[in-house]
């Protein structure tokens, strides 16, 4: 038994998703093998990871033209075809960490557009992943969260795909809305479910954890959309939720008198930061099962 009997429970699924883990590994391997590179945007939405990679020689560049290094890395969100062309034109080396699930969405968008389909992408137009997928449709794509906002389309063949991080049920609801909006003039409809199960698995595991703890720590960067949503998901259950970026932020008063706390983390949060949070809770009298 611990000093104050504080039990620390971890969510069934938390932290880095396979796509982000793979991207970080690919960049680290390149740095160790061949030296500095520029990443086209942050490789992960987490300041700890970006700083650690920067120390090893990975500089964040806003675009290919801002890269001074001989190699550029495309992030797990992927990139448009014009980015690949510019990398080639400039004779730069490429480390392509595009997540295979995002790649599948890009390939579906390209193939379907080539086959004459108007490609509807369920997602946020300004999101880098969606901008990348749109580019592969060569002008035949539309990104939206509601078919009502779409213009009249001349194509009678429609294809629907999704931004990978969107909720699967919401994607299929969008498909039904597309059918009711375009049904009379529709000759053919192709649906490719490109949602990724990883984000949903983290929300589900956080809900299960929130159901039997008195407080929950959600670890991750405040600029990570999926970690923010994870914290909102926990908060909505009514459990005391603390969204923290690092172990130092934990106020001992938050756990005083509690017997059960939970820890989860967004898909961009590295293992070290989660381990530091657990270590600090141990120092406050916590015990892992
Ligand atoms: S959330 Fe899914 S699609 Fe996005 S990087 Fe991770 S594994 Fe890939």
């Amino acid at each position: 038994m611990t000093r104050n009997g504080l039990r620390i429970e971890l969510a069934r699924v938390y932290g880095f998703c396979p796509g982000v883990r793979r991207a970080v590994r690919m960049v680290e391997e390149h740095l160790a093998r061949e030296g500095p590179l520029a990443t086209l945007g942050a490789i992960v939405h987490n300041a700890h990871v970006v700083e650690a990679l920067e120390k090893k020689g990975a500089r964040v560049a806003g675009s290919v033209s801002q890269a001074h290094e001989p190699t550029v890395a495309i992030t797990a969100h992927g990139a448009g075809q014009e980015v690949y062309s510019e990398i080639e034109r400039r004779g730069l080396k490429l480390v392509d960490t595009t997540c295979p699930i995002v790649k599948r969405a890009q390939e579906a968008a390209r193939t379907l557009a080539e086959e004459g389909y108007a490609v509807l992408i369920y997602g946020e137009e300004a999101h880098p992943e969606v901008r990348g997928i749109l580019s592969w449709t060569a002008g035949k794509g539309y990104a939206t969260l509601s078919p009502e906002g779409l213009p009249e389309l001349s194509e009678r063949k429609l294809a629907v795909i999704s931004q990978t991080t969107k909720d699967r049920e919401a994607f299929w609801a969008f498909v039904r809305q597309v059918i009711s909006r375009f049904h009379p003039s529709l000759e053919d409809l192709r649906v490719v479910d490109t949602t990724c199960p990883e984000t949903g698995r983290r929300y589900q595991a956080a809900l299960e954890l929130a159901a039997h703890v008195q407080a929950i720590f959600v670890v991750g960067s405040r600029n990570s959309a999926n970690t923010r949503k994870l914290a909102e998901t926990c908060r909505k259950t009514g459990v005391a939720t603390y969204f923290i970026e690092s172990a130092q932020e934990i106020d001992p008063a938050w756990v005083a008198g509690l017997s059960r706390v939970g820890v989860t983390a967004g898909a961009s949060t590295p293992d070290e930061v989660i381990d530091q949070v657990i270590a600090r809770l141990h120092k406050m009298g916590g015990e892992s099962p």
Side-chain angles (χ1 to χ4, degrees):
M1 202 61 182
T2 58
R3 239 184 320 129
N4 62 359
L6 178 67
R7 191 180 158 97
I8 307 163
E9 293 198 19
L10 290 171
R12 198 168 37 77
V13 192
Y14 63 91
F16 272 2
C17 65
V20 165
R21 200 173 285 283
R22 172 179 172 273
V24 173
R25 195 192 63 232
M26 285 174 79
V27 167
E28 280 179 335
E29 281 173 3
H30 179 91
L31 291 168
R33 212 177 43 236
E34 295 184 42
L37 53 68
T39 66
L40 300 177
I43 211 82
V44 180
H45 284 150
N46 185 283
H48 293 270
V49 183
V50 172
E51 271 167 37
L53 288 175
E54 215 165 60
K55 281 188 192 136
K56 295 181 193 167
R59 195 179 59 83
V60 178
S63 64
V64 180
S65 60
Q66 288 170 13
H68 315 306
E69 295 76 359
T71 305
V72 291
I74 286 174
T75 69
H77 284 321
Q81 52 185 345
E82 68 289 349
V83 174
Y84 287 85
S85 306
E86 199 182 346
I87 291 169
E88 205 180 316
R89 198 168 53 75
R90 288 176 183 259
L92 298 169
K93 258 187 148 174
L94 171 64
V95 175
D96 190 352
T97 78
T98 306
C99 174
I101 298 174
V102 176
K103 198 59 125 189
R104 180 171 166 258
Q106 292 175 345
E107 275 163 15
R110 182 176 58 82
T111 313
L112 291 160
E114 280 170 5
E115 289 173 10
Y117 288 82
V119 182
L120 310 187
I121 304 158
Y122 173 59
E124 281 117 31
E125 202 175 353
H127 192 282
E129 178 197 308
V130 176
R131 286 206 310 269
I133 298 171
L134 261 180
S135 141
W136 290 95
T137 67
K140 287 188 175 169
Y142 303 85
T144 183
L145 292 171
S146 161
E148 298 313 316
L150 290 169
E152 283 308 319
L153 301 174
S154 54
E155 292 90 345
R156 299 200 161 184
K157 299 195 319 182
L158 293 188
V160 190
I161 62 175
S162 179
Q163 180 178 343
T164 58
T165 43
K166 288 289 168 214
D167 175 69
R168 191 160 188 262
E169 292 308 313
F171 169 66
W172 284 98
F174 175 83
V175 172
R176 288 192 290 276
Q177 288 165 15
V178 168
I179 294 170
S180 60
R181 156 101 205 254
F182 295 102
H183 175 249
S185 58
L186 212 53
E187 276 176 9
D188 192 11
L189 177 73
R190 294 277 300 275
V191 179
V192 186
D193 183 350
T194 52
T195 57
C196 169
E198 287 298 326
T199 331
R201 288 176 68 212
R202 275 156 192 71
Y203 299 145
Q204 188 51 42
L207 284 174
E208 288 164 20
L209 182 63
H212 64 274
V213 294
Q214 296 155 301
I216 195 159
F217 293 93
V218 181
V219 192
S221 260
R222 292 196 175 85
N223 68 357
S224 155
N226 81 78
T227 313
R228 277 203 307 270
K229 198 169 161 203
L230 195 60
E232 270 166 42
T233 305
C234 295
R235 226 168 252 135
K236 275 188 193 152
T237 66
V239 74
T241 301
Y242 301 102
F243 184 175
I244 53 169
E245 290 201 340
S246 68
Q248 289 71 37
E249 289 176 36
I250 304 173
D251 182 341
W254 296 345
V255 296
L258 301 187
S259 56
R260 221 175 250 262
V261 293
V263 177
T264 185
S268 50
T269 311
D271 299 341
E272 307 90 83
V273 179
I274 304 162
D275 292 346
Q276 286 159 10
V277 165
I278 295 165
R280 184 152 155 87
L281 287 170
H282 280 158
K283 279 198 188 136
M284 292 174 184
E287 186 182 66
S288 299

